Amino acid sequence: MIGDLAHLPAVVPDDPEAQFRRLPAALRRWTPSAVWRRVRLARRRERWMAENAAATAAYAKTAEADCLSDGPILAIGDFSGDNGISRAALYEHARLEAEFGAVERLDLTDTALPRHPEEGADGPPAARLYLLSAPDTYARALAMVSPRRIARARRIGLWVWETPVLGRDWRFAFDLVHEIWTPSDYSRAAITAAAPGDVSVTVRPHVPQLPKTIPLLDRAAWGVAQDAFLGLAVMDVRSCPARKNPWAHVAAWAAAFGGRADRVLILKLRLSKRTAIVRRELEELAAMTGSAGNIRIIEEFLPDTEMTALQAGADVYLSLHRAEGYGLNIHECLALGTPVVATDWSANAEYARRFAGYYPVPWRLVPHRDWTGHFPDRDFAWAEANIGAAAETLRTLAAAKDAAAKGTRASTPPRRLHPEAGSGGDGKAA
């Protein structure tokens, strides 16, 4: 149990999740339904790939030379969703409108739109089609327009991949696009390694569109004192909790502050039925926090204004992920001026270093491991953040806030790169 510094080992382990992989704790994860799902998963993936390929076959691209030079610009995405992919689609749509003027927008959440090729909405032939959602949505996305309408359109897909190996279940979509935009060089490397020669891959970083007026955070509504040091971590763990690594966030906060009531972490999670063990009656994370009440786990949906208020009003944003295809929350917080303590590996290491408020956490490479089996191609390594180094940085930032409130000087938070950051320590897989 981690809830008081007295219970912590002298050296905080980098992988606090390990305790839940061992018996008897592992039995809570490996229920009969979970085992049955994993047994069937490989065959189900093959079926999904075949179904996606069949559903989109009528939309196979033509040669680039046949594409129209003018005509309507179409953009399809989950613009009304409540996740990072949806926000990225909105940001990209705004950029396209700035470039082209009018851009016809089709929203995946619009139930009034057609869902089958034979019902697809017709109209004048399009010059360009931007698919601003993941390839596993392409069967639904393309069914919103007739094959004839986009037969000669140049197709650009916005793809974000989180690991060094692109999953096989996206590769059917190479037949549908001429070009792929991806927001990081890390993601580009994975996609390019799998892409055929007729598909170009371009790095196009996200550009967050911040509101003109930043909403103020009502700390009292969250039960957080004005002088408390407030941390925020936001993660969607519906598919792969291991990648976002909520256990490391809890361990780092506990290692830094124990149960201090004036050091509060808000951990916003999104869970699915099969990943609820992370939180089920707060089982795994509760076992780590113990009786400490300074880590608050919330699952409810928050509107954009409230999320922005949290991002801007927090004293630090914490992201001890194992891999990010981009890390939109990291970028948004940095743009809002909120300090970020994050694993200095994968996509965020490319853009975050130009921000003064970025505090990189060193890491080591470890073999991928995930009980949900989310990624179809599993032979790769990802990063394990150094929790002790993260805790040290959190303590320094908190002390700086306390000193500023008292009008005294404290040691300046280390805005420079940690000596090991970016190198993975010795750079060897563990």
Side-chain angles (χ1 to χ4, degrees):
M1 179 179 296
I2 300 175
D4 187 303
L5 288 176
H7 296 291
L8 288 170
V11 177
V12 181
D14 287 347
D15 183 14
E17 183 194 355
Q19 62 185 296
F20 304 111
R21 299 193 194 104
R22 296 190 291 266
L23 294 173
L27 295 177
R28 295 183 180 273
R29 293 181 173 186
W30 293 107
T31 61
S33 61
V35 172
W36 178 234
R37 177 185 175 277
R38 285 300 299 270
V39 168
R40 295 181 300 152
L41 191 54
R43 179 168 294 183
R44 291 174 71 187
R45 278 207 171 101
E46 294 296 328
R47 188 183 77 242
W48 294 334
M49 286 189 284
E51 289 174 350
N52 277 326
T56 57
Y59 295 91
K61 66 189 177 189
T62 59
E64 184 175 352
D66 291 338
C67 295
L68 298 175
S69 59
D70 56 9
I73 309 297
L74 307 183
I76 304 177
D78 185 14
F79 299 107
S80 300
D82 57 355
N83 54 35
I85 295 175
S86 299
R87 296 202 311 281
L90 288 169
Y91 294 156
E92 198 54 58
H93 182 262
R95 295 172 74 183
L96 292 173
E97 285 197 318
E99 180 178 354
F100 295 109
V103 175
E104 185 178 338
R105 189 168 90 177
L106 301 176
D107 196 332
L108 278 168
T109 58
D110 188 345
T111 57
L113 290 169
R115 298 291 176 181
H116 303 286
E118 62 272 15
E119 302 171 359
D122 216 337
R128 287 173 176 265
L129 170 66
Y130 292 91
L131 292 162
L132 305 182
S133 59
D136 53 16
T137 69
Y138 279 10
R140 282 197 302 128
L142 290 172
M144 294 180 172
V145 294
S146 68
R148 185 200 66 80
R149 191 177 186 199
I150 61 170
R152 298 178 62 191
R154 177 166 176 79
R155 289 96 169 274
I156 299 95
L158 178 62
W159 295 20
V160 185
W161 190 256
E162 298 95 351
T163 77
V165 181
L166 183 71
R168 288 172 287 115
D169 46 359
W170 278 22
R171 300 185 188 192
F172 77 96
F174 287 134
D175 292 335
L176 306 172
V177 296
H178 300 101
E179 183 178 358
I180 294 168
W181 286 354
T182 192
S184 67
D185 194 61
Y186 168 81
S187 181
R188 179 207 57 77
I191 297 169
T192 300
D198 66 341
V199 177
S200 61
V201 184
T202 303
V203 176
R204 185 177 169 96
H206 293 318
V207 180
Q209 308 291 318
L210 302 180
K212 293 181 180 179
T213 303
I214 305 300
L216 295 176
L217 177 64
D218 183 359
R219 287 193 167 209
W222 289 92
V224 178
Q226 290 298 324
D227 60 349
F229 182 73
L230 176 60
L232 174 67
V234 180
M235 57 193 74
D236 187 332
V237 296
R238 287 176 293 181
S239 55
C240 183
R243 184 176 70 82
K244 290 294 190 179
N245 202 5
W247 308 272
H249 294 69
V250 171
W253 201 262
F257 307 121
R260 285 186 59 169
D262 62 344
R263 306 290 193 248
V264 179
L265 174 65
I266 293 177
L267 181 57
K268 186 181 183 305
L269 298 178
R270 296 193 69 190
L271 297 149
S272 65
K273 183 178 179 181
R274 73 173 183 271
T275 62
I277 185 62
V278 172
R279 182 265 318 133
R280 185 192 300 168
E281 298 300 325
L282 303 186
E283 284 177 359
E284 292 190 355
L285 299 183
M288 296 178 67
T289 59
S291 59
N294 62 350
I295 299 178
R296 302 181 187 170
I297 300 167
I298 63 170
E299 297 179 55
E300 61 265 27
F301 167 77
L302 298 178
D304 288 345
T305 53
E306 200 163 349
M307 275 302 305
T308 301
L310 269 175
Q311 289 176 323
D315 295 302
V316 67
Y317 184 81
L318 184 61
S319 180
L320 301 181
H321 60 81
R322 290 189 171 104
E324 284 286 7
Y326 191 73
L328 198 54
N329 273 293
I330 294 173
H331 193 168
E332 289 168 339
C333 286
L334 289 168
L336 288 164
T338 301
V340 169
V341 175
T343 310
D344 193 46
W345 190 77
S346 62
N348 58 283
E350 298 175 26
Y351 63 82
R353 297 183 184 200
R354 71 175 186 265
F355 292 89
Y358 178 57
Y359 298 88
V361 176
W363 45 270
R364 62 188 176 92
L365 287 179
V366 298
H368 159 268
R369 177 162 30 183
D370 165 36
W371 93 88
T372 66
H374 174 66
F375 294 107
D377 298 272
R378 298 185 291 275
D379 187 17
F380 62 84
W382 56 12
E384 201 75 73
N386 186 314
I387 294 175
E392 178 185 355
T393 301
L394 290 170
R395 282 193 297 268
T396 305
L397 289 169
K401 176 177 180 175
D402 290 346
K406 296 176 182 177
T408 60
R409 296 188 63 182
S411 59
T412 303
R415 294 184 185 274
R416 56 174 167 72
L417 291 179
H418 189 285
E420 295 180 3
S423 68
D426 62 8
K428 299 176 183 177

